Amino acid sequence: MSARWDIFCTVVDNYGDIGVTWRLARQLVAEQGVAVRLWVDEPAALLRLCPETDVAVPQQWLQGVEVCHWPQDGQVMEPGDVVIEAFACHLPAAFIAAMAARAQKPLWLNLEYLSAEDWVGGCHGLPSPQAGGLQKFFFFPGFTAEAGGLLREADLLARRQAFQAEPQARQAFLAGLGVPLVSGARLISLFTYENPGLASWLEVLAAASVPTQLLVPQGRILGDVQAWLGEQGLQPGDSRQRGNLQIHLLPFVRQEDYDLLLWSCDFNAVRGEDSFVRAQWAGRPLLWHIYEQDEQAHWDKLEAFLTLYRHGLSAPADAALGSLWRAWNAGEDMAERWLAVQNVWPELLAHSERWCLQQASRPDLAAALAQFYRNWLSCAA
């Protein structure tokens, strides 16, 4: 497909928006053969995900993607054949005017936030007439055949399965992060928002008969970890032991290494959207800390996903998983909920892999976007 795509991303208060758009841009270039220009309003956020980023230059090429600072007022731009505004960000007025001025209008897509809610399938792909003869289409990622799929590179599962089948690969990767493996220990990654329920979870892990290594990349939960330890100023590379719990502070790693971290762990606590999806591809039990929304709207999204995800579980596993997720997102005591999950652990582990393979049986998000463009071209011809 010979086409030029523009993707616009505004960074809100975390790395989810830039994480999704950066991953999507690279995959479109690598697997769909299109030229992609990624417009970012805060290039410094991309620096954490891609250390090669030069935040001082207005335009650069990174892994085949043309990365540009958000357009300035009066900047002359030639829109591509496809324009994606990610997560309802607002395109510059001058850029919209340039889109309308094209003889062949571009395909304008509003890439929405991920949701498992029932209404998503009915809204996916719907057009919205705009001024200047333009149309905007709503494109929803999702977990059912009626939605637009999830970000997944073509070889992702094969690479993950090969990595997990080779214990030495995990050992070498973690050693590179300064984490020596403890014999018989379970590994848990923790990358979430602040949570008052963390202390109760850490207490039960420290008191458990099985050793746990908790891997904590730099992020917002670090303050709660330090509060529980009674210390401040912990840095990547530091580790602390409390009872049978060993806590390792990790640096904020690039996306490729974060995948390896998820694949290395037995359980992954994740947040937002990007890490949430990547944890599902890891094929391991997970805990999702959803981004809070006004008027508690995030609870509907959480319950909608839980309804889909728990399908096929036994009654005890269904109840244990649902109780754990709800308690975590409410900031409640985790001790009894975590112990209940241990009682159904083998079932949750098998279920995680089944869910992963089920989702992988559908077209991925980048492929679905490319197919939507091809269909749109056919209808416009």
Side-chain angles (χ1 to χ4, degrees):
M1 181 191 303
S2 179
R4 295 184 300 115
W5 293 46
D6 284 295
I7 302 177
F8 284 81
C9 171
T10 56
V11 179
V12 186
D13 60 349
N14 295 297
Y15 295 95
D17 296 350
I18 184 60
V20 170
T21 51
W22 171 235
R23 198 184 296 279
L24 173 62
R26 287 182 294 152
Q27 189 180 351
L28 285 168
V29 169
E31 297 182 12
Q32 299 302 325
V34 302
V36 177
R37 186 167 48 175
L38 176 61
W39 300 90
V40 184
D41 66 338
E42 291 187 25
L46 181 58
L47 180 64
R48 301 293 298 273
L49 303 175
C50 178
E52 296 83 8
T53 303
D54 185 347
V55 299
V57 300
Q59 182 271 349
Q60 61 194 298
W61 289 90
L62 297 170
Q63 300 183 35
V65 177
E66 183 182 4
V67 178
C68 303
H69 286 202
W70 194 266
Q72 302 298 310
D73 291 341
Q75 181 176 342
V76 177
M77 295 160 287
E78 178 60 34
D81 304 295
V82 181
V83 177
I84 296 177
E85 55 179 28
F87 313 122
C89 69
H90 299 292
L91 300 183
F95 194 87
I96 296 176
M99 291 165 59
R102 279 187 45 154
Q104 173 62 53
K105 301 295 188 287
L107 171 62
W108 185 359
L109 297 170
N110 180 9
L111 180 62
E112 293 281 356
Y113 286 103
L114 176 64
S115 178
E117 293 169 286
D118 290 340
W119 57 264
V120 165
C123 296
H124 174 62
L126 289 183
S128 174
Q130 306 291 310
L134 296 168
Q135 267 195 329
K136 183 195 300 187
F137 292 85
F138 296 95
F139 204 96
F140 285 84
F143 305 95
T144 66
E146 291 75 31
L150 304 171
L151 275 174
R152 184 191 75 254
E153 297 79 17
D155 64 344
L156 179 66
L157 264 61
R159 288 190 288 111
R160 187 265 290 178
Q161 290 164 349
F163 180 88
Q164 290 178 335
E166 183 53 65
Q168 288 80 9
R170 180 177 80 158
Q171 183 176 358
F173 168 71
L174 293 175
L177 293 177
V179 180
L181 288 176
V182 174
S183 177
R186 61 186 165 190
L187 268 67
I188 297 176
S189 76
L190 179 67
F191 184 65
T192 67
Y193 307 118
E194 300 88 342
N195 197 309
L198 178 66
S200 61
W201 190 16
L202 298 184
E203 291 288 348
V204 76
L205 291 175
S209 59
V210 176
T212 296
Q213 291 182 270
L214 185 70
L215 312 184
V216 188
Q218 282 180 303
R220 290 170 53 173
I221 194 64
L222 179 57
D224 291 330
V225 173
Q226 293 183 138
W228 183 75
L229 289 169
E231 297 187 48
Q232 295 297 319
L234 294 180
Q235 299 295 322
D238 290 342
S239 63
R240 296 291 186 271
Q241 182 90 31
R242 295 291 186 274
N244 233 356
L245 171 64
Q246 190 173 78
I247 299 174
H248 303 270
L249 279 299
L250 308 182
F252 192 103
V253 297
R254 63 192 306 150
Q255 286 181 325
E256 298 86 345
D257 287 342
Y258 186 64
D259 281 334
L260 297 181
L261 177 64
L262 294 171
W263 301 350
S264 298
C265 290
D266 303 296
F267 185 83
N268 293 299
V270 293
R271 73 185 200 192
E273 180 170 326
D274 187 57
S275 59
F276 173 46
V277 172
R278 303 311 281 194
Q280 292 173 60
W281 297 135
R284 299 285 168 80
L286 71 149
L287 174 62
W288 182 28
H289 199 176
I290 192 170
Y291 184 76
E292 289 190 16
Q293 293 181 296
D294 294 337
E295 300 179 356
Q296 302 294 301
H298 57 287
W299 281 103
D300 291 336
K301 292 186 176 183
L302 183 74
E303 291 297 337
F305 180 78
L306 276 173
T307 298
L308 282 181
Y309 184 72
R310 293 180 300 167
H311 182 72
L313 287 174
S314 68
D318 181 293
L321 184 66
S323 179
L324 182 77
W325 282 40
R326 294 184 187 105
W328 180 250
N329 280 278
E332 296 175 351
D333 190 283
M334 293 282 286
E336 291 187 8
R337 276 89 169 199
W338 178 249
L339 294 175
V341 162
Q342 306 314 296
N343 294 330
V344 292
W345 189 265
E347 182 180 354
L348 292 180
L349 179 59
H351 179 75
S352 301
E353 182 67 13
R354 283 196 305 272
W355 171 264
C356 172
L357 296 177
Q358 174 189 331
Q359 292 301 314
S361 68
R362 302 191 180 97
D364 66 84
L365 178 61
L369 284 164
Q371 186 59 53
F372 191 89
Y373 175 55
R374 285 190 289 265
N375 295 343
W376 178 81
L377 282 178
S378 298
C379 293

